[in-house]
Amino acid sequence: MATSRPALIALTALAPVSWGTTYYVTTEFLPPDRPLFTGLMRALPAGLLLLALARVLPRGAWWGKAAALGALSIGAFFPLLFLAAYRLPGGLAAVVGSIGPLFVVGLSALLLAQRPTARALVTGAAAAFGVSLVVLRAVGALDTLGVLAALASTASMSTGTVLAKKWGRPEGAGPTALAGWQLTVGGLLIAPVAFLVEGAPPALDARALGGYAYLALAGTAVAYWLWFRGIGRLTATQVTFLIPLSPLTAAVVGWAALGQSLTPVQVAGMVLALGATVAGQLVPAGRGGPVRSFRFPEKTARRDSMDLTGSAPRR
């Protein structure tokens, strides 16, 4: 059965919402100071699980495309995000991450021939400002390397999103296969970095195993399947305008589960960011032509029918 566009947007939005729960799970269930190992445990098991479910491997040029997308969206994104989280104060990395829609608008103009509109630029700026009201604290001197890492992580994820839209999916491979390829590649790239920087894996108790299972299954396997499914059916701009839901979810979870207070300014920022997110779903693809939807034959569709609350951001 075909999914209506509002339902498709809502399902795709569950991905950044689930990413917003990562900070709570990480701080309450997982060993401290092991961000790269956490990234590895999220990406590789989820990727292998999706590969086993899809039972489809890349063919021809898609070996290189899958490797590039996995490196951009997972392999480079996770380490850069964690580096930014540990070097930047408060929620600054989250604010930098929330400018992703602006990156995507620019990249879509370069790679998808979709000219940016004033509405898209204004909406993207409003989303970033709203997130900043929610997560940003007073900061002193900024760490240059941390800022560069935050910008690079945002650019990496944004480039992966636009290229995934540009390349679409090969016939016979649905979102399960595409997500499995990228997560597996990303996990294999993170593994040597994690062992080199953090050493041997830590001892894990039942609580930590439960936390990693949640992150790998709900926060990664299901979330990235929904994300790549959305990329295949929505415009790149629509998808990336859902990213601010991640820091907003983290703030709500912190308030509900950790007793963190929300000031009137933070609530106003949430309203602004949510309004920009909704408006982002209405942004036209541009005046340069119709949206490139990359829809595949019906028989193919049936086959496979970052703490962002002021601490260390995670995704």
Side-chain angles (χ1 to χ4, degrees):
M1 184 190 309
T3 304
S4 67
R5 181 152 299 248
L8 177 61
I9 292 172
L11 287 172
T12 307
L14 292 177
V17 168
S18 72
W19 295 333
T21 67
T22 303
Y23 173 68
Y24 171 75
V25 174
T26 300
T27 56
E28 299 299 311
F29 292 86
L30 304 184
D33 302 324
R34 303 305 293 263
L36 292 175
F37 179 73
T38 297
L40 172 62
M41 290 293 287
R42 289 186 62 193
L44 192 55
L48 294 175
L49 173 62
L50 292 177
L51 283 181
L53 292 175
R55 292 185 293 179
V56 176
L57 292 176
R59 296 179 181 178
W62 265 96
W63 282 102
K65 291 179 179 179
L69 292 175
L72 288 167
S73 299
I74 308 295
F77 172 71
F78 276 1
L80 287 168
L81 178 67
F82 292 138
L83 176 61
Y86 274 83
R87 298 188 69 98
L88 292 179
L92 184 57
V95 176
V96 177
S98 68
I99 67 174
L102 297 177
F103 273 94
V104 168
V105 168
L107 289 169
S108 294
L110 293 174
L111 301 177
L112 303 180
Q114 295 177 0
R115 288 185 291 175
T117 64
R119 182 179 179 183
L121 296 173
V122 171
T123 306
F129 181 66
V131 170
S132 72
L133 293 179
V134 177
V135 302
L136 195 58
R137 307 292 191 270
V139 299
L142 297 182
D143 182 276
T144 301
L145 180 59
V147 172
L148 291 176
L151 288 171
S153 69
T154 303
S156 178
M157 183 65 171
S158 300
T159 304
T161 298
V162 175
L163 285 178
K165 185 64 184 178
K166 178 179 176 65
W167 291 335
R169 295 194 302 265
E171 185 173 356
T176 302
L178 191 61
W181 298 347
Q182 296 188 48
L183 287 167
T184 301
V185 168
L188 292 175
L189 290 175
I190 294 172
V193 180
F195 289 119
L196 179 64
V197 174
E198 298 178 349
L204 302 178
D205 57 17
R207 188 175 180 85
L209 289 173
Y212 281 126
Y214 168 81
L215 291 181
L217 294 175
T220 304
V222 174
Y224 274 92
W225 179 83
L226 290 169
W227 188 250
F228 291 124
R229 180 172 177 265
I231 289 175
R233 302 184 183 188
L234 300 170
T235 69
T237 302
Q238 282 179 308
V239 172
T240 198
F241 264 105
L242 298 173
I243 289 178
L245 293 175
S246 181
L248 298 183
T249 300
V252 171
V253 171
W255 167 75
L258 300 177
Q260 298 172 351
S261 61
L262 289 174
T263 67
V265 172
Q266 288 177 301
V267 174
M270 285 185 176
V271 173
L272 178 60
L274 285 172
T277 297
V278 173
Q281 306 313 306
L282 307 175
V283 173
R287 292 169 294 210
V291 178
R292 301 168 68 179
S293 62
F294 295 97
R295 300 297 296 273
F296 289 87
E298 189 66 22
K299 63 179 182 180
T300 301
R302 289 197 191 102
R303 290 182 59 183
D304 195 355
S305 290
M306 297 159 172
D307 167 271
L308 303 173
T309 64
S311 298
R314 309 240 196 269
R315 191 176 210 178

